[in-house]
Amino acid sequence: MTLRLILYLSIILVGAYIGYKDFVHKNILDKLISIQSISILILLFVMGIKIGGDKEVISSFFTLGYQAFIFSVFSIALSVGFVMIIRRFIFNKNDMTDEEEKEGEV
């Protein structure tokens, strides 16, 4: 398991390095969105086959679906909440510096 994680991270880092250094031709970069979309569709199809073939997953589908729904709702709600809190903190900080600069000009 650890070896796979290292492999995945290495592949991501190599891809990021290649993209950063502009080693890929512009024509290929323009086609990457299509390649990514097709790859994701194939991945989802294969995952569907794998899930459909597992009888335990099918028998506990509603329990797993309920748990996944609750988990996703809380993940989304907390993510949005934290972004709003951080955004207010950052914008309040910037607003204060703008107001202080205006006071200094008068």
Side-chain angles (χ1 to χ4, degrees):
M1 184 67 175
T2 304
L3 186 60
R4 279 190 186 172
L5 182 62
I6 292 171
L7 175 66
Y8 297 154
L9 290 175
S10 299
I11 290 171
I12 290 172
L13 290 174
V14 168
Y17 180 76
I18 289 172
Y20 179 74
K21 291 293 187 175
D22 292 329
F23 290 146
V24 180
H25 195 268
K26 181 156 175 41
N27 291 336
I28 295 174
L29 285 176
D30 293 339
K31 296 177 184 178
L32 278 181
I33 293 174
S34 299
I35 294 169
Q36 286 175 336
S37 296
I38 291 168
S39 299
I40 288 173
L41 291 174
I42 291 170
L43 177 65
L44 289 172
F45 178 72
V46 171
M47 286 174 60
I49 291 172
K50 180 87 170 155
I51 289 170
D54 191 348
K55 302 301 179 196
E56 288 182 35
V57 171
I58 297 299
S59 65
S60 62
F61 185 73
F62 290 109
T63 305
L64 292 173
Y66 175 73
Q67 291 173 350
F69 176 75
I70 296 297
F71 182 73
S72 62
V73 165
F74 277 104
S75 296
I76 292 168
L78 290 174
S79 295
V80 169
F82 281 127
V83 167
M84 289 175 64
I85 290 169
I86 291 171
R87 189 173 181 198
R88 282 185 184 165
F89 176 73
I90 290 173
F91 282 127
N92 283 341
K93 203 173 197 181
N94 289 339
D95 291 342
M96 287 175 53
T97 56
D98 290 341
E99 290 174 9
E100 290 172 0
E101 288 177 7
K102 288 178 185 176
E103 288 176 8
E105 292 176 3
V106 174

